[in-house]
Amino acid sequence: MHIPDGFIDLPTSLAFIAVSAVGVGVALKGAKSELSDKTAPLAGLATVFIFAAQMINFPVAAGTSGHLLGGALAAILIGPWAATLSITIVLILQALLFADGGLTAIGLNVFNLSLVGVWASYAIFLIVKRILPSNKKAIPAAAFIAALIQVPIAASSFVFQYAIGSVATIPVSTVFTAMFSTHVLIGIGEGLITALTISAVLATRSDLVYGYRGQSRKLEIKSSARSNS
Amino acid sequence: MIPTAPVGQAKSKHKHHHGHDVGERLYIHRHTPIHALSPALKIASLLFFLFVVVATPITYWLSYIVFFSLIISVILVAKLPVLTVFKRSLIEIPFILFAVLMPFFGTGESFVFLNFTIYEEGLLAAAAIVAKGTIGVLGAITLSATSTAKDILQGLERLKLPSLMVNIATFSLRYINVVSDEMDRMKVARQSRGFEARGIRDWKILGSAAAALFIRSYERGERVHLAMLSRGFAGNLPKLATEANSQRDLLVAASLPITALILSLLDRLVI
């Protein structure tokens, strides 16, 4: 569910298109320097994964269910540069193909989810990882907190846009209270799913988790030869 | 072939709008001028049209009659089935629900209707959100129903979306069916072992499934990359083939935003 056309006024929408274009431009540079010619196929398949993972239904209770949003998951699995690109492409395709999110509102949606969502989650992830003891178990815990906090932050970013350029008459404070409280709940679900998924990837292919880079133990070669004295 | 029927699984994938066979399922093949239009022009035309719509205050309701007539005539010229267009437009329901709340908020002029205070300001804002949102949704539906996903990527490339983004999007659309089929097979496998997701305690299993899907997608990406290298890939994909736009295409594409712009300006300045 993304912001449709005409929900936020034209000047604000245009301003956020400019801001998002700059942000995505920076991410393009970052991703290129990091992944080189591997970028397109790997980021492409990661994007497909985010698309597909959003289709998995997580039942909550009494017939309700939710699905993954994927910003934090993408940032921790493939790194914030590539995640910014992946989520942006998910948003562009959703707007062009499924009419989910307005074409003129694309800058607003990219700002909230690809820029604020991805980078907020990665920053929180790094901070929490630094606080926790540096072992493998800390990664899912940091992922949980990052994904949990990221969702209400992205929602607040929407409220910020609403405050600047909304045509609606519902007071900003009311929108903020409603958005923030529901998104804290959504965030708890998002955090759980993200942490469970990350810990399962860590168990089998920890080398694929960007947020775990450089932390795996160096192979120690222990010699069996004993001194004979 | 693995028979998928005996599990008695309702094909839940069709319930979700992200659906299956992304490119092919949305495209509705017809021979019309709208389908024939170059995708870049189609996207640009729609974008400018929507900018005109979003820039017009809802109080110029004559303009909105024009906007709706324009987008509906495009749908009719494209010979799109009305029911399908309607079904796809249900995506905007959450925002309509938000709009329904708005007349109860506001300041200034108000009247009482069935014991509720209705604010005119809120009523207008609600009308604006619904009208603009609906036109946007109808426009995007027309775009994806009259152009294949590959066409849309071509259009984006022509509109100077950075080539890395176009390439990532191309890979995404190329592999979305492969990966979502893989996901469905994993779901069938889980069900055939008696698993049914009922509540939060089942999330661990779904999380492992998502993880397995990620690893398989990533490894597929690596295999694809190696296969490309072995076929001489040096870092640049060939451009998607595009033809030059004819003068007539340009005229057809421009007619939508320009008609909207002129008529709405007339409405604002003259009437």
Side-chain angles (χ1 to χ4, degrees):
Chain A
M1 192 60 251
H2 306 305
I3 304 172
D5 290 303
F7 195 79
I8 303 288
D9 66 15
L10 191 60
T12 316
S13 305
L14 287 174
F16 275 95
I17 286 178
V19 172
S20 298
V22 172
V24 173
V26 173
L28 271 170
K29 284 218 166 127
K32 267 183 194 161
S33 66
E34 204 163 63
L35 287 167
S36 70
D37 65 336
K38 252 179 155 180
T39 313
L42 286 182
L45 267 297
T47 308
V48 167
F49 164 71
I50 298 294
F51 248 112
Q54 289 182 344
M55 288 189 243
I56 301 177
N57 265 317
F58 285 78
V60 180
T64 58
S65 67
H67 72 81
L68 194 73
L69 305 171
L73 184 64
I76 297 163
L77 282 179
I78 60 174
W81 301 116
T84 304
L85 300 183
S86 286
I87 305 282
T88 303
I89 285 160
V90 169
L91 291 171
I92 292 176
L93 293 180
Q94 281 175 337
L96 285 174
L97 296 173
F98 306 110
D100 189 1
L103 288 188
T104 61
I106 191 79
L108 302 161
N109 288 316
V110 167
F111 180 81
N112 294 343
L113 301 172
S114 317
L115 299 179
V116 173
V118 166
W119 287 93
S121 33
Y122 198 67
I124 298 164
F125 173 78
L126 288 183
I127 293 168
V128 177
K129 202 176 85 167
R130 182 158 290 185
I131 296 168
L132 293 175
S134 68
N135 59 28
K136 217 175 181 181
K137 280 181 193 149
I139 304 292
F144 172 77
I145 294 169
L148 194 164
I149 301 179
Q150 177 261 138
V151 177
I153 286 184
S156 310
S157 163
F158 162 76
V159 178
F160 171 66
Q161 294 165 343
Y162 181 91
I164 301 176
S166 166
V167 294
T169 51
I170 299 182
V172 173
S173 58
T174 313
V175 173
F176 181 74
T177 316
M179 285 293 285
F180 198 84
S181 51
T182 50
H183 282 78
V184 167
L185 290 179
I186 295 173
I188 293 173
E190 179 80 5
L192 271 176
I193 302 171
T194 305
L196 288 169
T197 307
I198 300 266
S199 73
V201 178
L202 276 175
T204 41
R205 284 289 308 264
S206 59
D207 58 316
L208 297 189
V209 181
Y210 184 94
Y212 186 62
R213 275 189 179 183
Q215 253 177 284
S216 46
R217 273 217 253 143
K218 285 261 164 62
L219 188 65
E220 276 177 51
I221 297 176
K222 291 186 177 170
S223 130
S224 63
R226 284 188 215 146
S227 54
N228 283 333
S229 57
Chain B
M1 253 324 276
I2 304 157
T4 52
V7 195
Q9 141 213 43
K11 285 215 159 188
S12 61
K13 63 193 177 192
H14 291 300
K15 273 191 245 159
H16 204 279
H17 65 271
H18 292 150
H20 221 225
D21 289 348
V22 172
E24 302 93 84
R25 228 162 48 92
L26 292 169
Y27 178 67
I28 300 169
H29 187 70
R30 300 274 189 282
H31 294 277
T32 74
I34 312 286
H35 285 72
L37 205 58
S38 109
L41 286 176
K42 224 184 293 188
I43 298 171
S45 163
L46 178 62
L47 197 60
F48 281 113
F49 172 64
L50 292 177
F51 276 132
V52 174
V53 173
V54 173
T56 308
I58 188 72
T59 41
Y60 297 97
W61 56 273
L62 269 178
S63 302
Y64 275 84
I65 294 179
V66 170
F67 299 152
F68 270 102
S69 328
L70 281 171
I71 194 74
I72 289 170
S73 14
V74 172
I75 292 171
L76 292 178
V77 171
K79 296 183 187 158
L80 298 178
V82 177
L83 191 65
T84 311
V85 173
F86 175 75
K87 273 191 205 150
R88 289 184 190 176
S89 63
L90 294 180
I91 178 94
E92 66 162 335
I93 280 184
F95 275 89
I96 290 187
L97 293 181
F98 182 84
V100 166
L101 291 175
M102 287 211 303
F104 306 109
F105 292 88
T107 47
E109 294 279 311
S110 66
F111 57 91
V112 175
F113 178 74
L114 297 175
N115 292 330
F116 289 110
T117 314
I118 306 281
Y119 292 93
E120 260 174 42
E121 194 192 357
L123 204 59
L124 279 178
I129 285 177
V130 173
K132 292 176 184 184
T134 307
I135 293 172
V137 165
L138 290 177
I141 291 169
T142 312
L143 178 68
S144 61
T146 60
S147 357
T148 61
K150 191 177 157 244
D151 282 344
I152 290 177
L153 291 176
Q154 244 176 47
L156 289 175
E157 181 175 59
R158 227 193 149 95
L159 293 172
K160 303 282 179 232
L161 188 75
S163 63
L164 180 59
M165 305 269 287
V166 176
N167 293 345
I168 296 174
T170 310
F171 277 103
S172 313
L173 285 173
R174 168 65 186 82
Y175 285 98
I176 182 70
N177 297 335
V178 177
V179 171
S180 64
D181 279 350
E182 183 141 44
M183 192 176 70
D184 282 340
R185 286 194 299 276
M186 288 163 68
K187 188 178 178 187
V188 170
R190 285 199 299 277
Q191 285 170 330
S192 64
R193 289 193 284 270
F195 174 79
E196 190 190 344
R198 286 206 189 85
I200 295 177
R201 62 181 55 195
D202 298 324
W203 283 17
K204 191 159 191 279
I205 290 161
L206 294 173
S208 320
L213 192 69
F214 170 73
I215 294 168
R216 290 179 188 186
S217 305
Y218 195 96
E219 287 175 344
R220 189 183 295 280
E222 285 177 325
R223 288 197 301 278
V224 169
H225 178 241
L226 291 176
M228 285 162 62
L229 288 180
S230 70
R231 286 167 179 78
F233 175 65
N236 289 309
L237 285 176
K239 293 262 173 235
L240 302 162
T242 41
E243 309 149 25
N245 301 321
S246 72
Q247 206 111 45
R248 213 187 114 254
D249 272 9
L250 210 60
L251 223 61
V252 174
S255 63
L256 177 69
I258 288 184
T259 316
L261 181 66
I262 291 175
L263 290 178
S264 72
L265 282 180
L266 275 179
D267 186 16
R268 288 170 86 157
L269 301 175
V270 182
I271 304 173

